[in-house]
Amino acid sequence: DVQMTQSPSSLSASVGDRVTITCRASESISVYLNWYQQTPGKAPKLLIYSAYTLQSGVPSRFTGSGSGTDFTLTISSLQPEDFATYYCQQTYTNVVTFGGGTKVEIK
Amino acid sequence: QVQLQQWGAGQLKPSETLSLTCAVYGGFFNNFYWGWIRQSPGKGLEWIGEINHSGSTNVNPSLKSRVSISVDTAKNQFSLKLKSVTAADAGVYYCVKVRLELLEYYYYMDVWGKGTAVTVSS
C-alpha cells in the first residue's frame, strides 16, 4: 500500500497566520491527492481534490499544490473555524490510504 | 444536495457481524460510487470499499475476506457487512459518496454520513 506521511503531526498557530501542511507519498501518485478537514465529533469534510482543485463552497484561503510524491496544503490566513485536523488521502492505487493527520491548534 | 443517513447496531460482541446501512437522499444514485470508511484511534482513517449501482465493488484487500458491500437501487441504499469482528474493528464507520472519474484525474469522497460508533466487547 502507498504510505502517506504528513508533517507536522501538530502545530500551533494564531488567527491570521499562514499555515502550511505537507504530505508525502511513498511512491508517485500523480495528482490523485485529496485534503480533508475534520473537527471533533464530525465527519471529515472535503477541501481540495486532485491536488489543487478547491471543492465547491470551500474558502479560497485554502490552496493545494504538488504532484508525484510531494504535496502541500496552505491556509493563507488562519481563521477561528480552521482549527481542526487535516488529512491527506491518495486515491491513485487500488487501495485508498490516508495520512495520519495534522492537528492545527490555537497558539 | 446529496445527504446520507446511516444506521446499524453499534455494540457488538467478538465474532459477531457488523451490519450498517446508508440511505441516499437528494441525488442521482446511479451516477456515483458509494463507499465506507472507518476511523479508529489506533489506525486512523481506513478505506473499506465502495460499490456502484450495478454492484461493482472495490474492497480493501486487508478486509476483503470479511467484508460484503451491497446495494439496493430500488431504495437508494447501500450496506456494509463485516464478519467476525474483533476489538480491532471498533471505531466510527462512515458512509460516503464517491466521485470517481479516472480519465479526468479525480477520485474523492465529497459527502459523508454522520458516522456510526461501533464498539466490540464481550
Side-chain angles (χ1 to χ4, degrees), chain A residues 1 30-32 34 36 38 41-46 49-50 55 87 89 91 93-98, chain B residues 37 39 45-47 50 58-61 94 101-110 112-115:
Chain A
D1 297 355
S30 183
V31 293
Y32 287 90
N34 309 312
Y36 298 85
Q38 187 177 33
K42 300 286 190 182
K45 170 189 171 185
L46 178 69
Y49 63 91
S50 302
Q55 170 68 347
Y87 295 94
Q89 175 202 45
T91 53
T93 65
N94 66 335
V95 181
V96 173
T97 50
F98 290 84
Chain B
I37 289 171
Q39 185 173 29
L45 287 162
E46 184 178 19
W47 173 74
E50 60 215 11
N58 301 315
V59 176
N60 193 323
Y94 296 100
E101 182 50 70
L102 298 179
L103 292 179
E104 300 290 334
Y105 295 97
Y106 65 76
Y107 176 9
Y108 54 86
M109 290 80 185
D110 65 339
W112 295 60
K114 291 185 187 301

Side-chain angles (χ1 to χ4, degrees), chain A residues 54-68:
Chain A
L54 200 64
Q55 170 68 347
S56 176
V58 174
S60 59
R61 62 180 180 272
F62 291 93
T63 57
S65 63
S67 66

Side-chain angles (χ1 to χ4, degrees), chain B residues 7-65:
Chain B
W7 65 90
Q11 293 186 331
L12 297 170
K13 293 182 168 58
S15 81
E16 290 185 336
T17 296
L18 180 157
S19 183
L20 299 174
T21 298
C22 187
V24 179
Y25 298 99
F28 294 105
F29 189 80
N30 289 359
N31 286 15
F32 307 106
Y33 272 77
W34 306 95
W36 295 94
I37 289 171
R38 68 182 183 181
Q39 185 173 29
S40 63
K43 293 185 179 180
L45 287 162
E46 184 178 19
W47 173 74
I48 299 172
E50 60 215 11
I51 190 168
N52 69 4
H53 69 282
S54 63
S56 176
T57 57
N58 301 315
V59 176
N60 193 323
S62 69
L63 298 169
K64 196 167 189 174
S65 63

